[in-house]
Amino acid sequence: MPRLHVITGAPGAGKSTLLRHLGEYPFGSADFDELPELDGRLLGVDIISPSAGPVWPAYNRLWVKIATMMLRAGRPVVILCPLTPSEWADAAGDVVDPPRVSWARLDCGDADRRARLAARGWDPDRIEDAIKDAEELRCLVNQEFTTTGRSPADVAAAVADWIDRQ
């Protein structure tokens, strides 16, 4: 079975923007942000607000299953998400024959993250939480793709090269 590539990143790193550029490459790709409706609900359940924390483990398990199904096509798959490796491992614990994972991190400078999230209407406390999430991910995942000062197409090309080398 081909390898699953998980690219984690705190809010504002550019995951959703990168996704639009990964379609040019011969691998499957998906983003955790694709399933919820615009109001943050999936099947009528809020899954994106901070108060939805209790349902996040089930949502994470769903994505492990989706990734496993996508790998059946016989080509590499990239999943973009905000999870840590341990959160992914917890989600994969109940999945039969979960895929092997290569990890990378999408990141940007803190000033870029603040500006991007402020443009989304995030309040300062929530932005600072995202900055802390980015700091945590920097300690957990070494392979980095930065979006600061780079075009999404350049980042997508670097990701494709990483996948080819795996």
Side-chain angles (χ1 to χ4, degrees):
M1 182 177 289
R3 183 173 293 263
L4 173 64
H5 299 81
V6 176
I7 301 179
T8 187
K15 297 180 299 293
S16 297
T17 300
L18 175 62
L19 181 68
R20 293 190 292 273
H21 294 268
L22 292 176
E24 300 174 25
Y25 296 93
F27 47 79
S29 57
D31 182 351
F32 264 44
D33 290 346
E34 288 187 279
L35 287 180
E37 300 294 335
L38 291 177
D39 66 357
R41 296 181 178 279
L42 177 64
L43 300 174
V45 176
D46 173 22
I47 59 169
I48 66 167
S49 72
S51 64
V55 299
W56 291 345
Y59 186 65
N60 298 346
R61 257 189 322 279
L62 174 64
W63 270 103
V64 172
K65 289 179 179 184
I66 290 169
T68 302
M69 289 185 292
M70 290 175 69
L71 285 166
R72 290 182 196 149
R75 59 186 183 152
V77 170
V78 178
I79 299 292
L80 303 167
C81 71
L83 301 184
T84 65
S86 64
E87 289 168 330
W88 183 272
D90 288 346
D94 294 338
V95 175
V96 176
D97 205 17
R100 296 176 307 144
V101 178
S102 293
W103 281 88
R105 173 177 40 85
L106 195 64
D107 207 351
C108 62
D110 290 345
D112 286 342
R113 186 178 317 278
R114 283 185 178 95
R116 292 171 184 177
L117 296 176
R120 291 184 196 172
W122 285 33
D123 66 65
D125 289 340
R126 193 168 174 208
I127 291 171
E128 289 311 308
D129 285 344
I131 297 291
K132 289 176 188 168
D133 288 346
E135 289 172 10
E136 177 186 6
L137 289 172
R138 289 176 189 133
C139 296
L140 297 174
V141 179
N142 292 327
Q143 175 65 49
E144 176 189 78
F145 298 101
T146 185
T147 59
T148 295
R150 298 176 74 191
S151 74
D154 287 345
V155 177
V159 167
D161 183 58
W162 171 64
I163 291 169
D164 284 344
R165 291 190 320 254
Q166 297 288 304

